[in-house]
Amino acid sequence: MLYWLLFELRGLWSPLNVFRYITFRAALAIFTALLVGLLLGPPLIRLLQRLQIGQAIREEGPASHRAKAGTPTMGGILILLAMFVPVLLWGDLTEPWVWVVTLTTLLFGGIGWLDDLLKVRRGKNLGLRAKEKFALQVVVGLLAAAAIRAVAGHAPHAGALTVPFFKTVILDLGWFYIPFAAFVLVSTSNGVNLTDGLDGLAIGSVLIASATYTVFCYLAGHARLARYLQIPAVTGAGEVTVFCAALVGAALAFLWFNCHPAQVFMGDVGSLALGAAIGCAALISKQELLLIVVGGLFVAELLSVILQVASFKLRGRRIFRMSPLHHHFELSGWAETQVVVRFWIVAAMFALLALATLKVR
């Protein structure tokens, strides 16, 4: 841990005191993740091409997507590498929250990796069965939720939910908080997974959401600011700021290669991991309900699939031309880049609305 070494040497050279500041280390995490991602991207893409790890396009998808068949996938490995290197360098690894969010991200990424591997081996867009995939997510989600509840211990905020726009409304869920937290993790993971359908769409949206939770985690970990803003002060949550900042840098690096026309796709190893990372940051910072706003785009994508399936089974009719929602707009005549950029704008609007709640209480 480079942070620990440099901080211990501060007595020999006073400027090293700057490493005590989370904001400085968060900035370093963004830069480091961006640099690692840009350096490792080209050789990793060449390796995926050499191993013939290409994307299989689902037959029922838009016809315009068939040209993308064979594009290297499982690029989420690049995101995870670019993200974890700066966490190891600049994060305080003695803080339990850092390990909770890191291991949660890795475990969900492992489920995605297994799903991607099966798709590559079969040469079809058929990986884990839906029930198998969901069961694994629930198990990992419950384990992560139990870890979050255990680390929170007897803190006033443990097992409680704060309600946006209200100063004193707190919902104490007790131990029911564990299944609730698991639901948050699984839902966010699947929300990002469903959003990952167009070049740059998911990673750009993840970038915006992770930048928002970089702010929330910093505020939650800063007792004075938390008291001023009347949000829960979470001891140690400030270190998750470095993790979220590293995710921002890794997302920027991956977007370099994933923008239209994409050189690589993140695959489920990326989308499931990133969704879980954002969900975990929301749980740790005690801004769980605001995740509905911050991740409003992911919620819309997820709901579009649920509504489409329910409508077809109950009425025999579809609500959208195709789900998830981004495909509906594609088939409505929007160019792929138009859909992506406009959805980014919507995601940014949701993020700004969430940040505004800090003062509207």
Side-chain angles (χ1 to χ4, degrees):
M1 186 174 63
L2 187 56
Y3 150 69
W4 179 84
L5 176 62
L6 294 173
F7 188 64
E8 287 299 312
L9 294 174
R10 68 191 185 281
L12 300 177
W13 193 42
S14 58
L16 292 178
N17 273 310
V18 72
F19 286 96
R20 63 185 288 214
Y21 297 109
I22 290 174
T23 49
F24 180 73
R25 289 186 283 118
L28 284 177
I30 294 175
F31 178 77
T32 305
L34 179 58
L35 183 62
V36 170
L38 292 177
L39 290 176
L40 293 183
L44 179 62
I45 292 172
R46 288 194 295 270
L47 177 61
L48 292 173
Q49 289 172 331
R50 190 160 55 247
L51 296 175
Q52 297 183 336
I53 301 178
Q55 178 70 38
I57 305 299
R58 60 172 183 157
E59 295 179 1
E60 64 273 20
S64 60
H65 287 209
R66 290 170 190 166
K68 300 182 180 184
T71 301
T73 187
M74 297 181 73
I77 295 172
L78 173 63
I79 304 172
L80 296 178
L81 286 173
M83 181 167 52
F84 291 138
V85 168
V87 170
L88 292 174
L89 288 176
W90 310 119
D92 182 357
L93 301 185
T94 64
E95 173 53 56
W97 288 129
V98 175
W99 287 105
V100 170
V101 69
T102 299
L103 292 176
T104 299
T105 302
L106 278 175
L107 287 173
F108 272 90
I111 298 172
W113 175 83
L114 179 58
D115 191 39
D116 286 337
L117 186 63
L118 291 174
K119 290 176 183 177
V120 171
R121 286 184 174 179
R122 294 168 181 171
K124 297 181 180 180
N125 193 36
L126 297 172
L128 290 168
R129 294 179 181 177
K131 291 182 179 179
E132 296 172 338
K133 190 174 179 180
F134 183 72
L136 287 172
Q137 287 177 298
V138 169
V139 171
V140 173
L142 287 171
L143 290 173
I148 291 170
R149 184 65 180 79
V151 173
H154 299 290
H157 56 74
L161 293 178
T162 56
V163 181
F165 305 110
F166 296 93
K167 297 178 182 180
T168 57
V169 178
I170 298 177
L171 305 177
D172 188 2
L173 301 183
W175 287 102
F176 184 71
Y177 184 82
I178 291 178
F180 169 78
F183 171 77
V184 170
L185 293 170
V186 174
S187 299
T188 312
S189 181
N190 284 310
V192 175
N193 183 237
L194 291 172
T195 305
D196 184 29
L198 301 178
D199 297 351
L201 176 58
I203 196 62
S205 305
V206 164
L207 193 160
I208 293 169
S210 57
T212 306
Y213 273 105
T214 299
V215 176
F216 282 139
C217 287
Y218 178 74
L219 295 175
H222 196 296
R224 188 178 302 173
L225 290 176
R227 192 180 312 115
Y228 170 71
L229 294 170
Q230 298 186 344
I231 60 176
V234 183
T235 303
E239 283 301 323
V240 183
T241 305
V242 177
F243 176 91
C244 291
L247 178 50
V248 170
L252 281 170
F254 188 74
L255 184 58
W256 182 276
F257 305 105
N258 187 237
C259 62
H260 186 76
Q263 297 174 257
V264 64
F265 298 139
M266 70 169 69
D268 283 12
V269 65
S271 59
L272 294 185
L274 298 184
I278 293 171
C280 199
L283 292 166
I284 292 172
S285 63
K286 302 306 299 175
Q287 298 298 335
E288 305 96 330
L289 294 182
L290 264 184
L291 184 57
I292 299 173
V293 181
V294 178
L297 182 63
F298 306 134
V299 173
E301 295 274 26
L302 185 60
L303 284 177
S304 71
V305 174
I306 294 173
L307 292 174
Q308 184 86 322
V309 172
S311 177
F312 188 75
K313 286 187 175 181
L314 295 175
R315 304 188 306 156
R317 298 174 59 186
R318 293 180 173 85
I319 300 174
F320 307 101
R321 293 174 185 269
M322 184 178 290
S323 63
L325 190 60
H326 54 263
H327 288 325
H328 170 78
F329 287 101
E330 261 195 300
L331 296 179
S332 298
W334 291 15
E336 180 172 348
T337 51
Q338 284 181 310
V339 178
V340 171
V341 174
R342 288 171 180 174
F343 273 41
W344 284 350
I345 293 171
V346 171
M349 291 171 63
F350 277 125
L352 290 173
L353 178 61
L355 290 171
T357 65
L358 290 170
K359 292 297 291 180
V360 185
R361 289 174 182 268

